[in-house]
Amino acid sequence: MADNVEKQTGSQHVETSNDFSETKAARIAAAEEHQTTLWQALKTNKKAAMWSILLSTTIVMEGYDVGLIYQFFGYPSFARTFGAYDLATKSYQVSGPWQAGLANGANAGIIIGGFANGFLSQRYGYKRVCLGSLFFMNWFLFLLFFAKSRTMLLVGQVLCGLTWGVFATTGPAYASEVTPLALRGYMTCYVNLCWAIGQLIAAGVLYGCLGLNGAWSWRFCYAVQWAWPLPLFILILFAPESPWWLVRNDRVEDAQKALSQLDNKGPDSHRQTLAQITRTLKMEAAIESGSSYFDCFKGTDLRRTEIICMTFAGQVMSGSAFAYGPTYFFEQAGISVNNAYQIAVGGTGIAFIGTVLSWFLLTRFGRRTLYLGGMCTLTCLLLIVGIIASASSSSGAKWGQAALCLLWLFTYSTTVGPICYTIISETSSLRLRAKSVCLSRNVYNIANVIANVIEPYLINPTEGNLKGKTAYFWFATSFIAAVWAFFRLPECQGRTYEELDLMFHRKVPARQFGTYEVDPYENEIELEPRKE
């Protein structure tokens, strides 16, 4: 009996010793994350940055096609193929219902693909699901290219949307898990840069194809999309899986191999990082258990879900359906087709520059300040556009509205657009990362569907014909989003995932997040597993 007691005591001593060793290693890894500068992180984690950039580049395809479909509504050859002649305007027009249907076809697919990705990524990993989506997208593009009716085009939009839903949610989730704290904001912001790149290419291709005759004018634009799937598929084959996903699925040895493919720090640093990952996942399990979509709405995760969903929905509420791709609005305002598409090319270039600029502003001002400041500025710009449209219909007023839309686009691309991806990637809990990102993206998609139903009826000359006065509606929704951000959006800059878990567990008010002091290692008792 004495021997048994001695064995049990010895076993408990070893277990306690192991726990202490893991905690010490995790503390070292967390301290190193806080002390590492941007350039040090780039030097030691350049492979992680490269793989993150590669997977996020799949979003270029979504940005490209979304840029196409919105700008196609004012495209002469597209309108002749899929629209009808309108006597009032003496031109071919795609009707309001079909504009809404074609724009929302892709969104419907993205919603389904996004929700499915929440399950698929959790089970099969980010890499394999991304590869499967690239394979299927290569074949779905045939429907868009050979479309002869609006119905066939709509089916193609829905099927391609399934794959875009995967890309849109995999990019920020993967980037947030493979890059260290110093790089996390930049790599997640890169997602929006991919959107801007896709839309810049789309605007350039559209303008370049204006001179082509017949259906080839718009079909060539769809054919360009075949340039991406195969090269990306081959490159992503060699990408490492997320170490966080591997540890969550009890593949610790594979996680250590993945870390060696992501940085050049050496085995000792990898053991410390694995200890930090393991401890963070244990902390989340102690605070809240479960990893289903329903768990996103329980306990502390309910607040996190509200933040990421409203942050993403804010992109739509800020007036993106009206001002982000304003080619059709410019045409309805009386600007010529050539000038409208020239402005569109310039606008997407502005979006690209704005997103790059956001990288420099991110560290200086933080997430909350950029998002809230951007939303307030966008709200004011929309109000001014509406006032100008109400006051005058002169040529100068039309160009004034165009200039303000470009200023809106620059502001959006510097603040709300890119910072959104950083916020949703940091705020979601690790065990629910895939599902939380998918859920927030689908809230955005649902909001976008609603916006794409409303916008054509407001601006289309065969419907409301409000032209620039449409900005009043989006001013109201943008104002609501700005008020929400002021009271509910926390500042997560410079926080490790352990610190964020503890701060949400303690219910720290949003406006105190930036200055709140927390040490995840100071109180182990606080993290006792919850009772079912």
Side-chain angles (χ1 to χ4, degrees):
M1 182 176 178
D3 289 342
N4 289 336
V5 171
E6 187 176 342
K7 287 179 181 179
Q8 291 174 4
T9 305
S11 175
Q12 290 172 359
H13 175 73
V14 171
E15 185 178 349
T16 304
S17 177
N18 288 338
D19 288 345
F20 175 78
S21 177
E22 181 182 281
T23 300
K24 184 178 179 181
R27 184 192 286 269
I28 293 171
E32 184 182 347
E33 273 207 278
H34 279 297
Q35 294 167 6
T36 302
T37 65
L38 172 62
W39 295 114
Q40 289 172 337
L42 279 172
K43 185 177 179 180
T44 56
N45 295 271
K46 55 187 176 183
K47 290 185 288 185
M50 180 191 73
W51 291 121
S52 171
I53 287 171
L54 182 63
L55 258 78
S56 294
T57 300
T58 57
I59 298 171
V60 170
M61 293 179 287
E62 182 188 8
Y64 179 87
D65 190 82
V66 170
L68 285 186
I69 197 63
Y70 286 119
Q71 297 189 66
F72 267 156
F73 297 144
Y75 212 62
S77 63
F78 185 89
R80 279 195 296 270
T81 305
F82 299 105
Y85 190 77
D86 179 50
L87 292 174
T89 60
K90 296 181 180 179
S91 63
Y92 284 90
Q93 295 283 339
V94 179
S95 67
W98 270 106
Q99 280 190 21
L102 290 172
N104 286 330
N107 286 322
I110 291 170
I111 290 171
I112 298 169
F115 274 122
N117 191 36
F119 295 105
L120 296 173
S121 291
Q122 184 177 348
R123 181 168 182 178
Y124 300 108
Y126 300 118
K127 176 182 172 179
R128 282 191 282 181
V129 175
C130 189
L131 288 172
S133 298
L134 285 168
F135 174 81
F136 285 109
M137 182 189 171
N138 198 55
W139 299 103
F140 293 156
L141 289 174
F142 281 93
L143 284 170
L144 297 178
F145 181 79
F146 290 106
K148 294 183 179 180
S149 66
R150 290 174 294 194
T151 303
M152 187 174 177
L153 188 65
L154 178 61
V155 172
Q157 287 286 112
V158 173
L159 291 176
C160 285
L162 295 174
T163 62
W164 296 328
V166 172
F167 302 144
T169 52
T170 296
Y174 184 83
S176 68
E177 293 190 8
V178 301
T179 54
L181 182 60
L183 292 177
R184 196 169 66 199
Y186 299 97
M187 292 299 102
T188 49
C189 273
Y190 175 74
V191 171
N192 194 73
L193 185 62
C194 291
W195 259 82
I197 292 171
Q199 296 194 323
L200 177 60
I201 296 171
V205 171
L206 281 163
Y207 182 68
C209 292
L210 273 174
L212 295 179
N213 296 320
W216 273 105
S217 182
W218 59 267
R219 279 184 177 161
F220 181 81
C221 298
Y222 278 129
V224 170
Q225 292 181 92
W226 273 305
W228 285 293
L230 183 59
L232 286 174
F233 185 93
I234 294 171
L235 291 171
I236 292 173
L237 273 175
F238 301 98
E241 185 53 81
S242 161
W244 292 86
W245 182 87
L246 292 168
V247 173
R248 281 197 297 267
N249 288 271
D250 299 321
R251 294 170 56 181
V252 179
E253 290 184 7
D254 290 335
Q256 190 154 3
K257 292 178 183 176
L259 286 170
S260 67
Q261 294 178 272
L262 293 167
D263 62 44
N264 54 9
K265 294 180 180 179
D268 290 339
S269 177
H270 295 161
R271 281 193 290 272
Q272 292 165 2
T273 302
L274 285 173
Q276 183 187 22
I277 293 172
T278 302
R279 190 179 187 281
T280 303
L281 293 172
K282 285 181 179 178
M283 178 184 288
E284 290 193 355
I287 294 173
E288 292 286 345
S289 63
S291 59
S292 69
Y293 273 117
F294 291 108
D295 290 298
C296 293
F297 302 95
K298 295 179 180 178
T300 58
D301 284 307
L302 175 60
R303 181 185 177 190
R304 290 176 142 184
T305 300
E306 175 214 331
I307 292 168
I308 62 175
C309 289
M310 277 300 298
T311 299
F312 227 145
Q315 286 192 331
V316 179
M317 296 173 73
S318 68
S320 59
F322 170 75
Y324 193 92
T327 306
Y328 188 71
F329 160 58
F330 292 159
E331 288 187 37
Q332 301 314 310
I335 296 173
S336 69
V337 173
N338 276 333
N339 285 337
Y341 279 95
Q342 285 176 353
I343 295 172
V345 174
T348 52
I350 288 172
F352 181 92
I353 294 169
T355 303
V356 174
L357 182 61
S358 72
W359 292 348
F360 298 94
L361 300 176
L362 186 65
T363 303
R364 182 175 179 83
F365 295 104
R367 285 71 161 141
R368 173 184 162 87
T369 302
L370 278 181
Y371 188 92
L372 177 58
M375 192 65 74
C376 291
T377 305
L378 297 176
T379 303
C380 293
L381 289 172
L382 289 168
L383 178 60
I384 297 171
V385 170
I387 291 173
I388 292 175
S390 300
S392 173
S393 59
S394 66
S395 176
K398 294 171 184 176
W399 283 103
Q401 293 172 64
L404 286 169
C405 280
L406 293 180
L407 182 57
W408 183 99
L409 182 57
F410 176 76
T411 304
Y412 176 92
S413 302
T414 309
T415 57
V416 173
I419 303 307
C420 168
Y421 293 98
T422 301
I423 293 171
I424 64 168
S425 301
E426 291 179 332
T427 308
S428 56
S429 62
L430 286 158
R431 64 196 166 77
L432 290 170
R433 174 64 47 78
K435 287 186 171 62
S436 294
V437 173
C438 293
L439 182 63
S440 63
R441 175 62 200 225
N442 281 334
V443 168
Y444 163 84
N445 290 329
I446 292 169
N448 214 22
V449 167
I450 296 171
N452 289 331
V453 169
I454 294 172
E455 177 67 11
Y457 282 97
L458 294 175
I459 200 169
N460 195 292
T462 63
E463 305 293 342
N465 197 28
L466 293 180
K467 297 185 173 65
K469 296 175 187 176
T470 306
Y472 284 129
F473 178 85
W474 299 113
F475 158 75
T477 59
S478 186
F479 178 79
I480 293 170
V483 171
W484 171 87
F486 179 79
F487 289 104
R488 300 292 292 171
L489 183 64
E491 177 57 76
C492 297
Q493 182 180 15
R495 301 290 189 178
T496 65
Y497 292 130
E498 291 171 292
E499 292 170 346
L500 289 173
D501 285 339
L502 200 52
M503 290 168 72
F504 278 111
H505 178 60
R506 292 178 179 175
K507 300 179 181 179
V508 177
R511 285 179 284 174
Q512 295 180 18
F513 257 66
T515 57
Y516 190 82
E517 295 184 6
V518 60
D519 182 357
Y521 304 96
E522 67 182 355
N523 191 352
E524 301 291 333
I525 299 175
E526 183 175 1
L527 299 178
E528 292 179 356
R530 72 169 185 174
K531 296 178 181 178
E532 297 293 339

